[in-house]
Amino acid sequence: MLVLGIETTCDETAAAVVERGDDGEGRILANVVRSQIAEHAAFGGVVPEIAARAHVELLDGLIAAAMDEAGVEFAGLSGIAAAAGPGLIGGVIVGLTTAKAIALVHGLPLVAVNHLEAHALTPRLTGPLEFPYCLFLVSGGHTQIVAVCGVGDYVRLGTTVDDAVGEAFDKVAKLMGLAYPGGPQVERMAAMGDAMRFAFPRPMAGRKDANFSLSGLKTAVRQEAERIAPLSDADVADLCASFQAAVIDSVADRLDVGLAQFKARFGAPAALVAAGGVAANAALRAALQAVAARAQTGLILPPPALCTDNGAMIAWAGAERLALGLTDALDTAPRARWRLDETPPPAPLHNTRARF
Ligand code: KG4
Ligand code: ZN
């Protein structure tokens, strides 16, 4: 089974071709990603309108490059998968409409993939992994603990009540005058700082639910920074180190609770899996090892290029759905919001065929 996958929900334009064998084994034939960081850097964050325009300009070329690299013709594909949400609606429309056009012209099945489902199924692309497993999705837009019980069968155990972890890293970076995207910059500064200098709160620690909260911690960092301003490089490093340590302690506590809930409801997980851009953080990765060890389960960290947004994960989720006979109508609507546990995908808004 050969599937083209298209990703346009945020600030990465991506196209990939993935193969799925009858035994469920995955192989990436091409995975082309064009980050729009340069287009958004001047604004200190993603500007939805700029992102949508960039997706329009880039997507055709990226699809052609992916098909070329894979050595595949459209007629040779088994289906077209596109992220149909959740995300910035302008970008989602660009990717989904492009996928619909290709599907219509070449008579191929369309799979409208939930972007979060694609993150959730990625570890099954990189190696054999049985259900159920526990996913920690930690990116700029999402912070969730999810029980992945099967394709289309997800139970959200915890989520953030305010900011996502990556969003908090980005906001703290902006506060310190560090470049966008801030996560890697905060990690770099934190490596040089004293994590004990500032006693920031460990949000939600000790609570029985498995939810996250980041906005109070972010405010505590801002207030401390204002109190000791002007900031020296050492101050910035210490603030970053103390912030990162607080985030990681909070995350570890929340995951301990989430994994305990997982065991109580679904039995032992096949593994703890991390995905999303923040999963590239080395200090967090070390903490996740400890969390997994405490829960007596294995830890799977897909390679960073498959943790951040990419087309291969969309193509793979499409292949997993196609293998189960799950396809979507050409009038499937793009969605800005789409919870992972709201499955199967919603019915089309209208019954007219091929409505774009
Ligand atoms: O998954 P991703 O590429 O895009 C989405 O948000 O969907 O994640 C990007 C987020 C940004 O907030 C970025 O600052 C954060 O991941 N990030 C990191 C690191 N690398 C990326 N946060 C902390 N430490 C890092 N090393
Ligand atoms: Zn993502």
Side-chain angles (χ1 to χ4, degrees):
M1 188 175 280
L2 276 178
V3 179
L4 169 68
I6 295 171
E7 160 59 34
T8 55
T9 62
C10 191
D11 61 343
E12 262 102 20
T13 317
V17 179
V18 163
E19 187 180 53
R20 184 184 188 277
D22 291 338
D23 54 359
E25 198 175 310
R27 196 158 71 92
I28 300 173
L29 302 186
N31 190 21
V32 188
V33 183
R34 167 66 161 74
S35 168
Q36 301 173 9
I37 284 175
E39 281 89 337
H40 301 286
F43 305 94
V46 179
V47 183
E49 188 60 21
I50 293 176
R53 283 166 195 263
H55 288 307
V56 171
E57 284 163 16
L58 294 165
L59 187 56
D60 282 354
L62 285 184
I63 292 172
M67 296 293 287
D68 200 42
E69 195 181 321
V72 179
E73 304 283 328
F74 285 123
L77 292 172
S78 319
I80 313 280
L88 301 173
I89 195 67
V92 178
I93 289 170
V94 173
L96 184 59
T97 306
T98 303
K100 287 174 178 177
I102 297 171
L104 186 64
V105 168
H106 297 280
L108 293 167
L110 171 77
V111 188
V113 170
N114 182 316
H115 176 94
L116 303 174
E117 171 170 68
H119 278 301
L121 296 175
T122 297
R124 285 167 54 84
L125 163 62
T126 52
L129 177 63
E130 295 300 321
F131 302 114
Y133 53 90
C134 185
L135 172 75
F136 178 41
L137 178 58
V138 60
S139 72
H142 304 280
T143 299
Q144 301 185 8
I145 305 172
V146 179
V148 182
C149 299
V151 175
D153 187 0
Y154 311 98
V155 179
R156 195 170 77 180
L157 301 173
T159 188
T160 179
V161 298
D162 40 57
D163 293 350
V165 172
E167 189 179 357
F169 268 90
D170 292 338
K171 286 178 176 169
V172 164
K174 202 169 179 178
L175 195 76
M176 308 280 148
L178 301 173
Y180 171 83
Q185 307 295 333
V186 171
E187 180 176 21
R188 190 174 55 81
M189 294 304 290
M192 299 183 278
D194 175 7
M196 308 287 278
R197 175 159 163 210
F198 302 103
F200 291 133
R202 271 55 179 160
M204 314 294 261
R207 278 181 55 140
K208 284 198 173 62
D209 65 68
N211 289 332
F212 299 78
S213 169
L214 275 304
S215 73
L217 171 58
K218 179 195 66 194
T219 303
V221 174
R222 180 170 50 75
Q223 286 172 343
E224 198 59 39
E226 284 169 0
R227 193 180 66 77
I228 63 169
L231 302 179
S232 68
D233 285 354
D235 290 334
V236 170
D238 292 347
L239 284 164
C240 287
S242 302
F243 161 75
Q244 184 174 278
V247 171
I248 288 173
D249 279 355
S250 172
V251 162
D253 176 77
R254 310 290 66 220
L255 281 172
D256 284 344
V257 174
L259 280 160
Q261 286 185 3
F262 187 111
K263 279 187 193 166
R265 291 176 68 176
F266 309 104
L272 171 64
V273 176
V278 189
N281 184 291
L284 177 66
R285 291 168 89 97
L288 293 178
Q289 287 287 1
V291 167
R294 277 200 293 278
Q296 294 177 315
T297 188
L299 175 68
I300 297 179
L301 296 166
L306 293 178
C307 281
T308 54
D309 292 348
N310 65 88
M313 69 179 193
I314 305 296
W316 176 253
E320 292 247 55
R321 289 194 153 258
L322 276 176
L324 296 172
L326 300 169
T327 62
D328 295 280
L330 284 180
D331 56 356
T332 299
R335 306 188 58 179
R337 293 179 176 276
W338 186 357
R339 280 177 55 145
L340 189 48
D341 45 7
E342 276 173 12
T343 51
L349 287 181
H350 302 276
N351 283 326
T352 43
R353 272 196 74 235
R355 182 180 170 278
F356 300 105

